[in-house]
Amino acid sequence: MHYLIASPHNGKFLVARPGARAGMQISRAMYEQVASIAETSSPLPPWLLDGARTAWSLDLAGASMRDAVLVRPETWLGYGRATYEINKGCNFNCEHCYLAERKFDGLPWDSKARLLRLLRDAGVLWLQFTGGEPLIDRDFLDTYTLAYRSGMLIEILTNGSRLHRLEVIELLRKLPPHKVTVSLYGATPDSFDSLTRKPGAFKLVKKGLIAAREAGITLELALIITKHNAHELAAMRSLADRYGAGRTEYGTISPTYTGTPEPLAAQAPGFLDKTSVFKGCPAGHTFFHVDPHGLATMCKVGRENPVDLMSEGLDGLLRLPRIADAQMLRTGGCGGCQLSGTCRVCRPLAKAYQEAKAPLNTYCQHGSEEAQ
Ligand code: SF4
Ligand code: SF4
């Protein structure tokens, strides 16, 4: 199994080590050198041996290129990143969930494997597994393994409820992910179980956090702040610091991506973060989202005119940039707005808020004007 991946990425070239944050940016000439000896018994070039020692304290002297470095080829599509919603099904039923429906369905294993090969051939280096809850998909372990062996750097976005399982811990130890992000929905069984509407959820997730820490698996914690847990934010932070290497806080709750308002009821007053101006997003151009059936869209929220990767293959992705631009340029209910240059939300998200008839102050600057 490879120790390093050498790959093109967004017009540049890099060497990465699965499971490690540090990476090396290399020149085209260096990339072409390793590409020319990929899959051979040649030793690694001296600059790569030195780089591996410096970046990862990794001594690969004596190793062959074939055994140590997986070289990803240049591709005609420049998609370096993708998110894969392997299954919308979930064992929790969170009040704030942005999925309107969480059906347990998706591709059979053969088609999942074909989809992963398509993602690889589209150039995807960074792959995020999401759901629903990805770890409850029956093919998750095999799908993860194939993505890893294809030379992808993997993030798993999980609710943590299956993290304690031995087969999961062993897989993550053997084939280290780039990142595992666990959503934290509270610091006590009361708040956690009431937001997830799943008795025993807190206990289950805590078991997973402990198992991952004992196995030396690095976690990031995503603190989801809602009306159920805002009063225990300090305790959530210390829980995250105990089990995670990093934490991020999310206090703004969005409608479902289909534009229904149910999740908004979980919003904690005072935690709406609409401070930063939306400055553009390369969704559909350098990254894309794939749903459980292999339908590719610009992102998780902007899901109009999906491209059926399973029937159209990679050629279908050539249409995605224009599909994304159409969603980004649509003004919808915002036509003629004088404040559009300082808007806080992107167009696909604004559309979901408008369809959900969300209170203006939850997403729009005119909401604060009205309040004044
Ligand atoms: S764990 Fe995630 S996918 Fe599952 S219900 Fe909660 S928010 Fe939705
Ligand atoms: S929701 Fe908006 S900001 Fe987020 S990826 Fe999609 S287009 Fe970009």
Side-chain angles (χ1 to χ4, degrees):
M1 192 73 71
H2 54 274
Y3 292 91
L4 302 177
I5 298 166
S7 178
H9 186 251
N10 285 354
K12 299 191 170 136
F13 299 91
L14 55 84
V15 179
R17 173 155 167 68
R21 285 306 173 84
M24 293 167 60
Q25 191 172 317
I26 59 173
S27 66
R28 170 174 277 282
M30 289 161 140
Y31 169 76
E32 285 175 352
Q33 185 188 9
V34 287
S36 71
I37 53 172
E39 290 298 321
T40 69
S41 55
S42 303
L44 280 60
W47 59 264
L48 187 48
L49 288 173
D50 288 347
R53 272 189 215 106
T54 310
W56 307 290
S57 306
L58 186 64
D59 185 2
L60 293 172
S64 70
M65 277 294 295
R66 183 187 294 125
D67 294 334
V69 187
L70 191 155
V71 181
R72 300 282 310 269
E74 289 193 82
T75 57
W76 53 280
L77 281 162
Y79 286 109
R81 198 153 60 86
T83 50
Y84 176 24
E85 191 175 67
I86 184 167
N87 193 324
K88 280 200 181 93
C90 188
N91 51 347
F92 290 180
N93 179 24
C94 298
E95 187 178 332
H96 70 281
C97 185
Y98 87 123
L99 297 174
E101 285 190 354
R102 289 181 291 278
K103 276 197 193 152
F104 281 83
D105 56 10
L107 297 169
W109 163 244
D110 286 357
S111 303
K112 283 191 180 97
R114 195 174 142 238
L115 174 63
L116 279 183
R117 287 193 289 272
L118 289 169
L119 297 182
R120 178 199 62 193
D121 295 345
V124 172
L125 175 63
W126 307 91
L127 180 68
Q128 181 193 81
F129 279 105
T130 180
E133 169 48 38
L135 292 177
I136 64 173
D137 187 87
R138 64 175 185 274
D139 296 321
F140 177 78
L141 300 182
D142 289 337
T143 313
Y144 178 95
T145 303
L146 181 58
Y148 187 96
R149 287 176 195 267
S150 305
M152 295 181 197
L153 299 164
I154 305 171
E155 176 181 11
I156 306 171
L157 220 54
T158 174
N159 65 22
S161 60
R162 296 278 174 107
L163 205 48
H164 63 279
R165 295 203 168 186
L166 199 57
E167 67 274 21
V168 173
I169 291 287
E170 280 184 352
L171 178 77
L172 300 183
R173 236 195 327 217
K174 199 166 117 211
L175 308 179
H178 183 68
K179 199 164 158 186
V180 180
T181 304
V182 180
S183 301
L184 192 63
Y185 297 136
T188 59
D190 269 0
S191 64
F192 207 108
D193 296 2
S194 72
L195 176 66
T196 57
R197 297 184 282 212
K198 164 92 175 171
F202 179 69
K203 208 169 148 197
L204 212 50
V205 173
K206 195 139 177 232
K207 206 169 151 188
L209 298 178
I210 293 168
R213 187 173 64 178
E214 283 173 357
I217 295 163
T218 310
L219 302 178
E220 300 263 326
L221 277 292
L223 277 56
I224 312 298
I225 308 162
T226 67
K227 68 180 185 192
H228 297 268
N229 59 30
H231 59 283
E232 54 190 38
L233 182 54
M236 285 169 74
R237 286 176 180 146
S238 49
L239 195 63
D241 292 343
R242 198 169 331 138
Y243 295 105
R247 61 173 150 93
T248 313
E249 297 178 9
Y250 299 93
T252 302
I253 306 297
S254 309
T256 65
Y257 71 79
T258 52
T260 62
E262 301 80 15
L264 300 172
Q267 178 68 52
F271 285 90
L272 259 174
D273 177 18
K274 292 284 181 237
T275 47
S276 44
V277 172
F278 175 68
K279 296 232 173 71
C281 167
H285 290 262
T286 61
F287 72 89
F288 61 95
H289 177 69
V290 191
D291 86 348
H293 303 286
L295 298 177
T297 52
M298 64 184 286
C299 70
K300 297 173 188 173
V301 177
R303 299 199 192 207
E304 287 179 18
N305 298 319
V307 171
D308 189 341
L309 278 180
M310 307 315 288
S311 64
E312 292 187 56
L314 292 183
D315 286 348
L317 287 179
L318 293 173
R319 292 192 285 117
L320 202 52
R322 284 179 63 185
I323 293 172
D325 291 348
Q327 288 172 86
M328 278 301 202
L329 292 172
R330 180 188 38 225
T331 48
C334 304
C337 172
Q338 303 295 312
L339 304 176
S340 60
T342 51
C343 190
R344 269 64 172 154
V345 290
C346 67
R347 295 291 87 204
L349 207 47
K351 178 173 177 261
Y353 275 110
Q354 283 160 354
E355 288 182 356
K357 300 197 176 6
L360 264 191
N361 72 325
T362 57
Y363 69 100
C364 174
Q365 297 173 86
H366 292 291
S368 21
E369 280 181 351
E370 266 178 14
Q372 283 163 20

